[in-house]
């Protein structure tokens, strides 16, 4: 009696373990990450310039396939290589009639990267509120942290006691500004090594986006008054040198905006790129005083956009396909379903089933026939059971039947 219960449970346990273990071994042996070239839009030739890392490809070329020497490549990207070109005395004074100011080059430079794991990772919901107008030239730790969900509450990081006056001051300021608790989310940049601090942006219970920071020890709370058509789902703070904007706003439809400062108002300006999926897409932005080079990478490849730095309108785009990966081929042929506990786009560890291809079911059928007729079985009933089990679990089921024979 017990055998009828224990035997199937043991088989299922081993099969589930094999659904993870066998594909993981095959992936380790066959997986290779797609290697894309470094791509930057040229303000001189108005094309994407590429620096390849694969020996089989020309090292320097543009998106039309024209090859360049290293010197020609450097001169085609003066806004990227301005330090080297200045040392060599080859930096142009102007581009398209626009004078090149070294200070403007520095303050207009943007380097931004977004990874899906940023929002799919375990976090401790404690935040740091820096002073936005510090008396010294650099930011200093305030000595407390705050919670922000059903209310705002500041906690001293040494005594672990609540700072009631400061908490009440911010709580009342939030309520007075119209913030409705509980907060849906709050995002900011807690890195102290930044030129200045702009606090946090938070979405309240009514879907309104608020700017929250501390100025001269007092709360600064402001409703951004975003258009109701924009439904924010994520905000990535970026304290840029020229203070043109606060950061990048992602909405529910996949559009990306910068949130500009305009005379005390918050002005969203959309990047003219294809909609993105923040659950799967890696986004990189390399910007200068004339153009932004935006790349969006996922399993389908990597797409590049050249945007005008002022209007963020698209000037050029191109797509690079991923290189052939043996793991994808083997997975689609051998594993209709496999199990993982960790994926690239998330830092959470949890069991996840992946479905590859219906073609792999043929492998399961062959495996089921092997289990039913090639394995030693005492009865037709056992053959049928073994065949059905292998049909469901595939190679993992066959391995379980071999490890735990029905004797």
């Amino acid at each position: 009696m017990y055998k009828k219960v224990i035997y199937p449970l043991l088989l299922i346990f081993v099969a589930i373990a094999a659904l993870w273990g066998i594909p993981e071994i095959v992936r380790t042996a066959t997986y290779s990450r797609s290697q894309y070239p470094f791509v930057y839009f040229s303000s001189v030739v108005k094309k994407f310039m590429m620096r390849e890392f694969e020996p089989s490809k020309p090292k320097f070329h543009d998106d039309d396939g024209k090859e360049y020497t290293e010197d020609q490549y450097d001169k085609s990207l003066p806004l990227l290589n301005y330090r080297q070109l200045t040392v060599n005395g080859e930096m142009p004074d102007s581009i398209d009639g626009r004078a090149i100011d070294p200070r403007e080059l520095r303050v207009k430079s943007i380097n931004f990267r977004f990874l899906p794991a940023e929002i799919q990772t375990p976090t401790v919901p404690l935040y740091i509120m820096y002073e936005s107008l510090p008396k010294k030239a650099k930011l200093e730790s305030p000595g407390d942290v705050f919670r922000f969900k059903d209310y705002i509450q500041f906690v001293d990081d040494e005594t672990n006691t609540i700072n009631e006056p400061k908490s009440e001051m911010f709580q009342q300021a939030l309520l007075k500004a119209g913030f409705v608790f509980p907060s849906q989310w709050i995002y900011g940049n807690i890195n102290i090594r930044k030129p200045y601090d702009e606090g946090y942006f938070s979405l309240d219970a009514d879907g309104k986006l608020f700017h929250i920071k501390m100025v001269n020890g007092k709360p600064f709370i402001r409703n951004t008054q975003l258009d109701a058509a924009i439904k924010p789902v994520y905000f990535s703070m970026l304290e840029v040198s020229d203070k043109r904007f606060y950061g990048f706003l992602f909405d529910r439809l996949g559009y990306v905006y910068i949130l500009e400062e305009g005379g005390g108002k918050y002005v969203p300006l959309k990047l003219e790129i294809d909609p993105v999926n923040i659950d799967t897409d890696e986004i990189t932005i390399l910007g200068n005083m004339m153009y932004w080079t935006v790349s969006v990478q996922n399993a389908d490849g990597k797409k590049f956009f050249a945007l005008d730095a002022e209007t963020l309108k698209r000037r050029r785009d191109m797509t690079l396909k991923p290189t052939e990966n043996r793991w994808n081929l083997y997975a689609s042929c051998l594993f209709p379903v496999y199990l993982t506990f960790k994926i690239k786009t998330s830092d959470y560890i949890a069991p996840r089933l992946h479905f590859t291809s219906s073609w792999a079911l043929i492998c399961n059928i062959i495996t089921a026939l092997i289990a039913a007729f090639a394995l030693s079985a005492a009865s037709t009933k056992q053959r049928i059971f073994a065949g059905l089990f292998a049909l469901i679990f595939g190679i993992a089921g066959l391995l379980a039947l071999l490890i735990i024979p029905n004797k």
Side-chain angles (χ1 to χ4, degrees), residues 382-397:
Q382 289 179 342
R383 291 180 184 275
I384 294 174
F385 172 80
L388 290 175
F389 190 82
L391 182 64
I392 295 171
F393 288 97
I395 295 175

Side-chain angles (χ1 to χ4, degrees), residues 45-222:
V45 300
K46 305 299 187 288
K47 297 178 183 179
F48 289 108
M49 302 297 296
M50 286 176 271
R51 183 186 183 118
E52 297 282 357
F53 301 102
E54 296 184 20
S56 60
K57 296 181 179 180
K59 191 168 186 179
F60 304 103
H61 63 94
D62 61 28
D63 54 20
D64 285 331
K66 181 181 176 181
E67 296 184 26
Y68 295 77
T69 65
E70 185 171 4
D71 184 60
Q72 290 172 331
Y73 171 84
D74 289 343
K75 290 179 180 179
S76 298
L77 300 174
L79 302 184
L80 176 67
N81 304 310
Y82 66 91
R83 289 187 178 89
Q84 184 61 48
L85 293 178
T86 301
V87 170
N88 297 343
E90 298 174 331
M91 184 66 189
D93 296 328
S94 64
I95 299 176
D96 294 341
R98 182 172 177 177
I100 304 299
D101 178 11
R103 181 185 176 280
E104 186 180 14
L105 273 176
R106 289 192 298 272
V107 301
K108 292 288 186 181
S109 178
I110 294 172
N111 191 334
F112 170 78
R113 191 179 186 196
F114 167 80
L115 299 174
E118 291 181 19
I119 57 174
Q120 299 182 58
T121 188
T123 58
V124 177
L126 293 174
Y127 312 95
I128 301 174
M129 186 78 74
Y130 295 110
E131 170 58 57
S132 292
L133 288 178
K135 295 179 181 179
K136 296 184 179 180
K138 63 178 182 179
L139 298 175
E140 295 182 343
S141 176
D144 57 27
V145 295
F146 70 94
R147 305 186 185 104
F148 197 86
K149 183 62 178 178
D150 298 317
Y151 46 79
I152 187 169
Q153 189 176 66
F154 289 84
V155 181
D156 187 280
D157 55 14
E158 289 188 1
T159 64
N160 200 30
T161 58
I162 297 172
N163 186 333
E164 296 286 0
K166 188 174 182 180
S167 301
E168 183 65 16
M169 178 175 62
F170 271 84
Q171 180 75 9
Q172 292 304 316
L174 284 159
L175 296 176
K176 184 178 180 181
F179 191 96
V180 180
F181 286 95
S183 166
Q184 296 188 46
W185 48 253
I186 181 170
Y187 293 114
N189 178 12
I190 65 171
N191 188 348
I192 198 169
R193 299 181 66 180
K194 53 186 177 179
Y196 59 95
D197 177 71
E198 279 294 349
Y200 297 83
F201 282 86
S202 178
L203 196 70
D204 78 349
D206 288 345
K208 298 188 293 290
L209 187 68
F210 282 79
H211 186 193
I212 304 167
K213 63 180 179 179
M214 183 168 65
V215 180
N216 292 324
K218 303 294 182 183
F220 175 98
I221 317 293
R222 186 174 289 172

